[in-house]
Amino acid sequence: MPWWSWILLWVALVAVSLLFYGVLGVRLFRKFMATVKDLGAAGEKLGHLAPLPEAARTALPGSAEERAPAGSAVFASPADMRHDYEASKSSRREERRLRRVQRKKDRGQPQALADLDFT
């Protein structure tokens, strides 16, 4: 094989590889631009959401005055976090008990002694 055929072979291989990388680059660029377009549309949609009215904000359970700032649990002591956990757990338990008592009262069913509040 003459020497110029080796050069021609290598030129063809380099040209095919450059074409391959060019096609991959174009596809990657198009996918990236489609993703950016979708993210922009999502940002526009979320940017136009109306904030809660002031009356609805104050009606939320645990208003901003009562709640600790976001992320403060990271720096709180374990004893405080345990207390908060137990308090919320007992609050949820009491709310479930009150709903159960009311439901049984509405249906005319007898109440369990454990559900009655004698205090």
Side-chain angles (χ1 to χ4, degrees), residues 44-55:
E44 287 294 321
K45 186 175 182 180
L46 291 176
H48 293 312
L49 292 178
L52 284 175
E54 190 62 36

Side-chain angles (χ1 to χ4, degrees), residues 10-59:
W10 280 105
V11 167
L13 287 174
V14 168
V16 168
S17 66
L18 288 176
L19 179 67
F20 178 73
Y21 287 131
V23 169
L24 279 179
V26 168
R27 286 190 63 206
L28 183 63
F29 178 74
R30 285 185 179 174
K31 287 187 180 195
F32 173 74
M33 291 308 290
T35 303
V36 168
K37 182 180 176 184
D38 290 344
L39 287 175
E44 287 294 321
K45 186 175 182 180
L46 291 176
H48 293 312
L49 292 178
L52 284 175
E54 190 62 36
R57 253 186 253 145
T58 57

Side-chain angles (χ1 to χ4, degrees), residues 49-110:
L49 292 178
L52 284 175
E54 190 62 36
R57 253 186 253 145
T58 57
L60 292 175
S63 62
E65 295 84 22
E66 297 175 5
R67 286 183 286 185
S72 63
V74 175
F75 303 107
S77 70
D80 289 342
M81 294 313 306
R82 172 60 63 184
H83 175 268
D84 291 349
Y85 171 74
E86 295 294 337
S88 65
K89 183 176 167 182
S90 64
S91 171
R92 289 189 305 269
R93 187 177 289 163
E94 180 64 20
E95 288 173 6
R96 282 195 307 269
R97 187 190 69 80
L98 291 175
R99 285 194 310 263
R100 182 173 55 247
V101 167
Q102 186 62 42
R103 185 175 59 242
K104 285 186 171 189
K105 182 180 175 186
D106 293 343
R107 293 178 181 170
Q109 295 174 333

